[in-house]
Amino acid sequence: MKKNVLTSEPLPLMGPGTFELDADISALGMALIEVLKLRQSQREFSERELSWYRLSRLLWAADGCNRPSTGHRTAPSVCNAQEIDIYVAMSSGLYRYDPLAPSLRQLSAVDIRAVTGKQDFVATAPVNLLYVANLSRMPPEEQARQLLFAALDAGHISQNVYLFCAAEGLAVVSRGWFDQGALAAAMGLADGHHVMLAQSLGYPLAAAAPPRYS
């Protein structure tokens, strides 16, 4: 059995290259006002990897399905287009998040973290989230307006991640400085797919102990 890419525990397999995420979403245990006080950008990360459970909760907070009967998400989107797909770049490869399963599907075993941005830290950050807009899902507008709306929707997801990381004691930063063409090629994106935003995250560099809230 394959091992968890983040820990030594076995991965729950759903099919070839598809890994089931933990659907147990419990309370974070911190008031919203406290989370808002702690929200910040950090650009230095420990090499300590996230547990599979924490990654599951992170992705659910980002844009998970919070109303299973309708398929609606934790983040809003224009006309409920749900045009943003979350890709996850880690040392073990590139994955795409399926919020309805919930699961991660491995797309490649190549470590592309260094291509996800032009800052040095992106190559070693344990997790790099990439928010990709599939414009074919969006209302028939001119592309400039589609990209504007997609950028807003990526921002909603990004803020969800910021708040989750604040509550969980994780370091995170949103990034827009990357080579769109090189990154799209490394990810194997088709025409009509655009990387709107990236986020690097992990434990703070100085964190030697687990965070208070887990």
Side-chain angles (χ1 to χ4, degrees):
M1 179 179 290
K2 289 187 177 183
K3 295 293 185 180
N4 191 323
V5 296
L6 304 177
T7 71
S8 60
E9 59 197 50
L11 276 174
L13 288 172
M14 298 181 70
T18 302
F19 307 113
E20 183 178 9
L21 294 175
D22 199 313
D24 175 23
I25 305 299
S26 57
L28 291 176
M30 184 182 288
L32 177 59
I33 189 65
E34 296 302 321
V35 174
L36 291 170
K37 288 179 180 178
L38 292 172
R39 194 223 63 81
Q40 61 178 310
S41 293
Q42 299 180 68
R43 295 170 177 80
E44 295 184 317
F45 304 95
S46 164
E47 294 182 1
R48 177 185 172 197
E49 296 177 328
L50 274 67
S51 70
W52 197 247
Y53 176 61
R54 182 161 279 112
L55 180 62
S56 298
R57 286 157 57 87
L58 167 72
L59 292 170
W60 180 86
D63 197 31
C65 180
N66 64 355
R67 286 154 288 173
S69 62
T70 61
H72 289 171
R73 310 285 184 80
T74 59
S77 63
V78 59
C79 298
N80 193 35
Q82 298 180 2
E83 80 283 1
I84 301 295
D85 288 320
I86 301 178
Y87 289 70
V88 185
M90 298 184 287
S91 61
S92 57
L94 180 67
Y95 302 77
R96 185 172 63 236
Y97 175 50
D98 179 349
L100 299 181
S103 66
L104 275 181
R105 179 185 176 191
Q106 187 168 24
L107 305 176
S108 168
V110 178
D111 182 356
I112 68 162
R113 289 178 297 168
V115 190
T116 68
K118 297 185 177 182
Q119 300 96 327
D120 291 340
F121 62 81
V122 305
T124 55
V127 176
N128 284 291
L129 302 180
L130 303 161
Y131 303 135
V132 176
N134 182 345
L135 301 187
S136 68
R137 299 178 192 159
M138 301 192 71
E141 301 267 5
E142 60 183 31
Q143 188 180 86
R145 284 181 60 81
Q146 288 182 325
L147 290 172
L148 171 62
F149 292 142
L152 294 172
D153 292 342
H156 297 144
I157 297 172
S158 168
Q159 182 68 345
N160 281 357
V161 171
Y162 263 112
L163 297 179
F164 178 88
C165 289
E168 293 277 291
L170 299 174
V172 61
V173 63
S174 288
R175 304 183 285 99
W177 192 27
F178 48 79
D179 185 322
Q180 178 76 235
L183 182 52
M187 297 173 67
L189 297 181
D191 291 343
H193 292 67
H194 295 263
V195 183
M196 305 306 301
L197 190 67
Q199 265 184 313
S200 297
L201 61 98
Y203 288 100
L205 184 60
R212 178 181 174 188
Y213 295 94
S214 60

